[in-house]
Amino acid sequence: MTSSGPALPDQASSGVQWRLRMAAAERGVWTGTQLRRLLAEKAGLDLSPASVSALFTKQPSQVKLSTLTALCTALACAPGDLLVLGPAAPVALAEQSGRQPLPGPLRAVGRRSLPPL
């Protein structure tokens, strides 16, 4: 069987590790059904069982900020508990987007200052 679309990055090539299942387990949430119920009750997000299952069992190629916010609200965690950037993440993400990675830490050039974080 052939694939009709581009290959999706896995966590090894993207440098990003999706830890939803581990973060949920650390909070006593073991099934997609439990997570779906928490999302509805605590965050007001009604995802389909298939969507919750996909988030729970696979490395997503993208996550909406509203979904990430709802997951963090439901699990009482921070985005860093769900997404962990490995050392290769900036380079891998830049390569996937077709951009050049930044050469190192951001520094002010000349008299300009960097925007606030």
Side-chain angles (χ1 to χ4, degrees):
M1 183 188 322
T2 61
S3 173
S4 60
L8 295 176
D10 62 5
Q11 59 192 49
S13 66
S14 71
V16 178
Q17 182 183 12
W18 181 241
R19 296 189 68 248
L20 175 61
R21 186 168 216 133
M22 183 63 72
E26 289 169 352
R27 290 155 180 83
V29 178
W30 299 99
T31 67
T33 302
Q34 289 175 314
L35 179 60
R36 186 169 183 251
R37 188 175 302 123
L38 271 178
L39 284 167
E41 291 172 0
K42 293 190 175 186
L45 182 64
D46 185 26
L47 288 178
S48 70
S51 294
V52 173
S53 177
L55 286 171
F56 214 56
T57 60
K58 298 175 187 172
Q59 170 90 8
S61 60
Q62 59 187 359
V63 179
K64 286 183 177 181
L65 287 177
S66 59
T67 303
L68 184 61
T69 301
L71 287 166
C72 289
T73 299
L75 295 172
C77 67
D81 297 326
L82 303 177
L83 292 166
V84 177
L85 299 178
V91 173
L93 294 173
E95 288 172 355
Q96 289 171 9
S97 68
R99 297 183 184 140
Q100 292 295 321
L102 295 172
L106 295 175
R107 293 183 284 286
V109 178
R111 298 195 313 161
R112 287 188 165 174
S113 62
L114 293 174
L117 297 177

